[in-house]
Amino acid sequence: MKHNPNMPSPPPRDWTVLTMMLLLAVLVVASFASLPLKWRDFFTMEAVNGTVELLQGFAPPDLSSGFVTKTAWATVETMAMSALGTLLAVVAGLAFSLPASGRFGGVARGAMRSMLNVLRSIPELVWASILLIAAGLGPFGGTLALAAHTAGVLGRLFADSLENAAPLPEQSLRANGASATSAFLYATLPQTLPQMLSYTLYRWENNIRAAAILGVVGAGGLGQMLKYHLSLFQMQQAATVIIAMLLLVALVDAISFAMRRALTR
Amino acid sequence: MTAALKANRHPDPAWRGRLIACAVAVIVLWPTMVVSEFKPWILFDWQSLASTGRFLSDFLTPAHGAEFLAMLLRETWQTVAIATAGLTLALLGAIPATLLVNEQLSISALGTGRMRPLARLLRQTVRWLLVLLRSVPELVWALLFVRIIGLGPTAGVLAIALTYCGMLGKVYAEILESSDAHASDTLLANGSGRLAALLYGALPEAASELMSYTVYRWECAIRGSVVMGFVGAGGLGQRMDESMKMLAGSEVASMLLVFVALVALADLFSKVVRRRLG
């Protein structure tokens, strides 16, 4: 099409963006090319029949009262793991956030921040499988794993909010002769407490979701049940556990949505 | 100040509230600790201390044989490839779903603000489908696919594709709907097709946000693909799980180092891309 002289000329092309797009395309093609994907197996008649058979095995979910009670206990265990893990993480995160907010000098701040980064960048599930060596199978290892990962996240967030708090109240208490501890406890901590509480609730919500699946490496809760029944090919029981997981997540979502709505209105 | 008043005064005016809060905390905490089998002394049990000690002392010298490093490199690439391929497949599902769900592209809602019942039903159905896809955790999808097609990266790719299809579809629709509807409305009202209205009306405004969300999700997918390896979906996670089961601390140590570096690198990359495109 010829360029119309009455119209503004098109914007110049940004070559860096085009190159980036090209690189992304190369990455995608290379990924598909290098993975030993078994699409053929997946779409053969045999595999399709196998899938259908597997899915039919799920229905109907096992709703006998004995099993439902067992699942309910696993749900309670999941909730307990998430609550206790979050609580431990809050305590550890608070302790870590003091050096990480630069209260004990720049060196301590840098060292603590990089430690928090490491704690944070290892996912809960990896923590769980490491900690199982020390804590043994069961919910205790899972609780510690949640605590380790969440302490990294919360420590960083707490440190940031401590750094962002207005320094003047604490300074004036110090200038009037209060000790460092009480100046912190009565000036800076109350300022940041609401924000810390909201971070904690948000992480707890995440941890409930994480605790539900943490068990697949053997760390208790619903995940452990799911893994157990799936590996024994007891599909109806597995279906019940999956339904319990979905209900738990939906419930948590609904409560947090309602709370957020109530708080922001 | 009278003596009676003075006697009533406690040094901490809020002591009653604090005491009650402490009591409630203990009452709630106790059953929680019992249910989650919170027994810290297990950690200091002689047997567990010995195995932890062996694992940790191994941990201090990360494995670095040439063969091992080559394997590590291969598995790391596989992890990235699983995330990328899964996200690409997820986009193939999420983009059409966004087109269907997006209310700004509804022609019947133009002007009247009311949608035809059939169109509303279709949008709601797709929305529920997306909710279902993303509310089953990716790890559970991976477990199921490993059951169906066996160990290997295919299960991981499919699990990421399904979960992220649900997430991306929802968030894309939200981003597009929160952008200014004026341009696309005008296009639609003047008779342009839905696709043209999306491409020329809604997309230019929302493009950078959509892009940066996608890159952020790619970063999450890399983390997810490592985690899914633990149930046998290939990549770094599967090797880590195997080394962990053999209590090979040195191998686990180098894998963790590579993993932390990989996550940091993905984080950096996504930051650079987002700044370029944002």
Side-chain angles (χ1 to χ4, degrees):
Chain A
M1 202 168 67
K2 235 180 71 187
H3 184 62
N4 186 344
N6 296 327
M7 289 289 157
S9 57
R13 296 231 177 276
D14 188 347
W15 288 109
T16 52
V17 171
L18 283 182
T19 346
M20 212 172 258
M21 289 298 179
L22 202 69
L23 283 179
L24 278 180
V26 170
L27 180 68
V28 169
V29 172
S31 302
F32 275 107
S34 70
L35 283 178
L37 294 178
K38 298 188 281 189
W39 298 124
R40 272 198 204 87
D41 294 8
F42 194 54
F43 290 112
T44 53
M45 235 18 233
E46 206 179 319
V48 170
N49 285 340
T51 312
V52 170
E53 210 171 288
L54 188 93
L55 290 181
Q56 275 171 351
F58 278 125
D62 184 352
L63 293 177
S64 62
S65 67
F67 191 73
V68 169
T69 323
K70 219 172 124 194
T71 316
W73 266 112
T75 313
V76 171
E77 193 176 278
T78 302
M79 288 297 291
M81 276 163 65
S82 69
L84 205 57
T86 313
L87 191 69
L88 289 176
V90 168
V91 175
L94 259 180
F96 292 156
S97 71
L98 289 178
S101 62
R103 277 177 185 269
F104 303 114
V107 180
R109 178 176 188 272
M112 190 44 96
R113 288 226 168 208
S114 41
M115 197 193 97
L116 289 176
N117 273 340
V118 171
L119 280 179
R120 193 158 53 100
S121 62
I122 298 176
E124 296 97 338
L125 200 94
V126 180
W127 269 122
S129 69
I130 297 174
L131 287 168
L132 286 182
I133 295 170
L137 289 177
F140 180 47
T143 310
L144 288 184
L146 287 176
H149 176 78
T150 314
V153 177
L154 286 183
R156 153 92 192 274
L157 289 172
F158 286 178
D160 283 349
S161 59
L162 282 181
E163 279 184 351
N164 292 335
L168 204 58
E170 190 175 344
Q171 282 166 6
S172 58
L173 280 189
R174 291 286 281 155
N176 284 306
S179 72
T181 318
S182 46
F184 172 74
L185 286 179
Y186 287 92
T188 307
L189 194 62
Q191 274 187 67
T192 50
L193 217 47
Q195 204 177 9
M196 287 180 177
L197 193 67
S198 84
Y199 285 144
T200 306
L201 285 179
Y202 162 71
R203 281 318 300 190
W204 186 26
E205 187 192 328
N206 275 21
N207 279 348
I208 295 175
R209 246 167 280 177
I213 55 167
L214 212 50
V216 297
V217 294
L222 284 171
Q224 195 164 355
M225 267 181 98
L226 179 64
K227 172 91 178 196
Y228 176 77
H229 290 297
L230 269 184
S231 58
L232 292 179
F233 286 95
Q234 296 172 335
M235 290 305 169
Q236 300 179 338
Q237 280 80 355
T240 314
V241 179
I242 292 180
I243 291 173
M245 273 184 184
L246 288 182
L247 283 180
L248 182 67
V249 171
L251 193 72
V252 169
D253 276 351
I255 291 175
S256 103
F257 180 73
M259 271 179 74
R260 247 169 258 274
R261 192 177 245 176
L263 290 177
T264 51
R265 196 160 30 197
Chain B
M1 197 178 291
T2 62
L5 202 60
K6 212 172 200 171
N8 274 337
R9 258 166 51 124
H10 194 273
D12 184 357
W15 69 277
R16 274 202 192 87
R18 286 182 216 261
L19 209 66
I20 291 171
C22 283
V24 169
V26 169
I27 290 168
V28 174
L29 209 57
W30 187 248
T32 312
M33 284 165 96
V34 172
V35 170
S36 65
E37 295 170 25
F38 189 73
K39 296 171 192 147
W41 54 90
I42 289 182
L43 293 179
F44 304 103
D45 171 58
W46 182 241
Q47 203 183 346
S48 113
L49 268 187
S51 66
T52 312
R54 228 171 322 149
F55 184 74
L56 281 185
S57 64
D58 240 20
F59 210 77
L60 290 178
T61 47
H64 50 271
E67 205 178 317
F68 178 75
L69 283 186
M71 186 276 280
L72 204 57
L73 199 66
R74 214 166 47 236
E75 296 301 328
T76 310
W77 164 251
Q78 194 172 65
T79 296
V80 176
I82 289 173
T84 315
L87 200 69
T88 314
L89 289 184
L91 280 174
L92 289 185
I95 293 175
T98 315
L99 276 173
L100 284 177
V101 166
N102 192 344
E103 282 181 7
Q104 266 186 27
L105 298 181
S106 161
I107 291 183
S108 54
L110 265 183
T112 60
R114 264 200 307 265
M115 231 179 278
R116 273 183 316 166
L118 207 62
R120 187 192 299 275
L121 187 71
L122 178 68
R123 286 205 166 83
Q124 212 52 47
T125 318
V126 177
R127 229 173 253 155
W128 280 111
L129 189 69
L130 292 180
V131 169
L132 183 71
L133 282 180
R134 69 169 179 273
S135 51
V136 176
E138 49 188 357
L139 203 70
V140 175
W141 281 125
L143 264 174
L144 292 179
F145 283 124
V146 167
R147 275 278 153 275
I148 296 175
I149 26 185
L151 297 175
T154 319
V157 171
L158 285 174
I160 290 188
L162 288 186
T163 323
Y164 284 58
C165 176
M167 286 181 202
L168 290 175
K170 177 200 175 213
V171 175
Y172 282 177
E174 272 175 7
I175 292 176
L176 284 173
E177 277 168 13
S178 70
S179 69
D180 187 10
H182 189 242
S184 59
D185 275 358
T186 315
L187 282 174
L188 283 177
N190 284 306
S192 94
R194 286 192 176 89
L195 202 59
L198 176 83
L199 288 179
Y200 295 97
L203 210 53
E205 197 187 345
S208 67
E209 204 177 332
L210 291 175
M211 195 67 206
S212 81
Y213 186 75
T214 312
V215 176
Y216 165 69
R217 274 290 154 203
W218 175 75
E219 191 195 319
C220 295
I222 287 185
R223 238 170 295 162
S225 82
V226 172
V227 167
M228 279 186 294
F230 276 79
V231 296
L236 201 54
Q238 197 172 344
R239 296 285 162 274
M240 216 190 276
D241 190 37
E242 288 164 9
S243 306
M244 210 87 85
K245 284 196 177 121
M246 293 186 296
L247 290 183
S250 57
E251 288 179 18
V252 174
S254 30
M255 283 173 184
L256 277 181
L257 281 179
V258 169
F259 172 64
V260 170
L262 181 67
V263 170
L265 212 67
D267 190 37
L268 191 75
F269 177 75
S270 97
K271 242 180 222 158
V272 169
V273 172
R274 273 186 274 175
R275 196 172 325 130
R276 259 323 300 165
L277 300 172

